[in-house]
Amino acid sequence: MVIAERVLHRLAEQDRAEAEATAAVAPVKAQMAGRAVLLIPHRGDDPDETALPDDYRKILAIVRAADGPVQVRTVGEELGLEVAVRGKLEPLRAKMTKLADRGWLHKRPDGRFTARR
């Protein structure tokens, strides 16, 4: 019985270490309304963009490359979206707002976005 407890304890430690290593590299997934969704982490003191999904990293790169504050429409054009159709920009606006809420971008009162330094 003692040996079985030791083995179980050792396996639990290995699982925990493996989960911590995976969490540091891969974006965190969660269930919402029966679907798997990616959670966007809050930006910390040492921002690690690899924790963000690819589409969010592309958005961040476009905003950083801009000379000043950018509109959602400008980012949509860079991404190749149909900017004439308002419904195509709303999901992008939601992503950019989520990045702003988590500290990756700054949303100005006029609705434009800038990159945090």
Side-chain angles (χ1 to χ4, degrees):
M1 187 69 115
V2 173
I3 294 172
E5 287 178 0
R6 286 183 191 162
V7 170
L8 184 61
H9 183 62
R10 189 172 298 148
L11 289 173
E13 287 177 357
Q14 288 174 351
D15 285 344
R16 189 178 4 215
E18 190 175 299
E20 288 173 1
T22 304
V25 176
V28 180
K29 292 187 178 185
Q31 288 285 334
M32 179 176 260
R35 292 183 4 194
V37 294
L38 292 173
L39 298 177
I40 306 304
H42 288 276
R43 182 175 187 243
D45 294 334
D46 184 25
D48 182 19
E49 291 180 19
T50 59
L52 296 173
D54 289 337
D55 50 343
Y56 286 86
R57 280 185 273 179
K58 289 177 188 174
I59 293 168
L60 219 57
I62 291 169
V63 174
R64 284 193 177 133
D67 292 334
V70 295
Q71 295 178 331
V72 175
R73 178 179 298 277
T74 306
V75 176
E77 290 171 351
E78 289 287 324
L79 291 173
L81 298 176
E82 295 179 50
V83 294
V85 180
R86 183 176 175 93
K88 299 288 184 177
L89 291 179
E90 291 308 314
L92 176 60
R93 184 181 319 280
K95 287 180 181 181
M96 292 177 73
T97 301
K98 189 178 290 186
L99 284 170
D101 290 344
R102 303 295 198 289
W104 293 95
L105 294 177
H106 173 71
K107 185 174 182 180
R108 296 170 36 130
D110 61 1
R112 296 186 295 170
F113 293 85
T114 58
R116 295 217 184 244
R117 304 283 175 209

